[in-house]
Amino acid sequence: MERSAWKLLQLSLALPWARALDNGLALTPPMGWMTWQRYRCETNCSGEGAQRCINEDLIKEMADRMAEDGWLDAGYQYINIDDCWMLPERAEGRLVPDPKRFPSGMAALGEYIHQRGLKFGTYGDIGYKTCQGLTGFHDHFEEDAQTLADWKVDYIKVDGCNENQEDMARDYPAFGAALNKTGRPIVYSCSWPAYMPHHCEKTDGCMNSLIQHCNLWRNFDDVADSWDSVKSITNFWKRLNSSDEMVQSAGPGHWNDPDMLLVGGFGLSVSEAQSQFALWSLFAAPLFMSNDLRDISQEARDILQNREVIAVNQDPLGKQGFCVAGCDGNLRVWARPLAGGDVAVIFQNLGFAGDGDSITLPTSTLPFKTFRIFKARDLFAKKDLGIFREELTLYVHVSSCRMIRISAATEQQIMV
Ligand SMILES: *[C@@H]1O[C@H](CO)[C@@H](O)[C@H](O)[C@H]1NC(C)=O
Ligand SMILES: *[C@@H]1O[C@H](CO)[C@@H](O)[C@H](O)[C@H]1NC(C)=O
Ligand SMILES: *[C@@H]1O[C@H](CO)[C@@H](O)[C@H](O)[C@H]1NC(C)=O
């Protein structure tokens, strides 16, 4: 048996949970575009708001850009309308999109998206009201799941505002069952852990249920457009190691979600944007942009469409990476085991004084097996760095990272 397959088998035997959700979806982390971080709940579409309010024109324009500007080819497939598409009241028991901003209706918008080869995602809430006070799914799970299926929705993010913590263990699985009953495969994103005191770990005891009922779940705080926000989210993740419940819960069909990418926004420098994209890829996180694809810089495009970094994110082994050295300091090393025995490594310098520092990784310290003699490739520089034995030392500028892929060196390369 191949070593990676053997490790996978060992791991699956060790998993405490019986079975994961098997709707056949999200076998690699979903990729796409979502309204929330950039467009929030802007509902005023007159004057200057016309370009950035939540309406069908915004979604159609982004769908055009996604299909035509290389995003779909790179793997970005879902286009998701977050909160604020619906009216505050139901009509005949059904959810209703705001008729001023979505005059063609959701089914027609879904068709527009599908015609471009993209997938249609949207948002709801497990409570009576969404986070912005609009209509939630509570008490209407079956009708609402059916409404989404009728509109040919492919992905639903279900938020947890205005719901009691203790009811979530009943309601998130129940909404998942209602989705299943429609017969339409719909990716199910649960915000449940973001509302629990320990984020579903430890005594919260909901990690197991997440894996059984959800394709992905928002673990922690919402991201906002600043490096501080990225740092606070990565500081929540850096404490995890290979045996951690949260790391082990990720796999094909079920993923942890640290929230959207800020790349193409206003808050991150180019090196910080690379760092977020590298870390999210190593975390096996969903890659959802929330930017303006009608007006995006070449630097941001190059980061987001970097095929070699995306390949790490989409690696078929589906293991989540974690911090392996220097996790409480400024010089951190993160690693993720990949299919075929390759390893993705991030050398991150969180310092901000001076030019940079050298960081060394002795590969024997990795908590999984890798090659003793290996070749290393720099994924942002798109350069092979050479053949190495036992360890790798790299110079990393402040506020920056370098992302490396380690793979087996051929005998011929070793001889040279
Ligand atoms: C909407 O925006 C326009 C121009 O940007 C402004 O004049 C108007 O007062 C706004 N309407 C509301 C309801 O806030
Ligand atoms: C419904 O659940 C069953 C059992 O887990 C699964 O085989 C099937 O694919 C699911 N269907 C949909 C549409 O999610
Ligand atoms: C992972 O971390 C936990 C607690 O932080 C610790 O008890 C455990 O030994 C660590 N496991 C590994 C493999 O490092």
Side-chain angles (χ1 to χ4, degrees), residues 23 26 30 79 104 143 152 174 186 263 289 292 355 376 409:
N23 57 5
I79 179 154
S104 317
E143 296 103 296
K152 297 199 161 53
I186 298 176
V263 187
M289 310 180 273
D292 190 345
D355 185 86

Side-chain angles (χ1 to χ4, degrees), residues 2 37 40 94 107 118 125 169 240 268 282 301 326-327 411:
E2 211 184 312
Q37 195 323 100
R40 301 279 160 161
R94 299 277 165 166
L118 299 161
D125 194 286
L240 306 173
L268 307 188
L282 183 127
R301 190 187 300 265
C327 308
E411 248 169 67

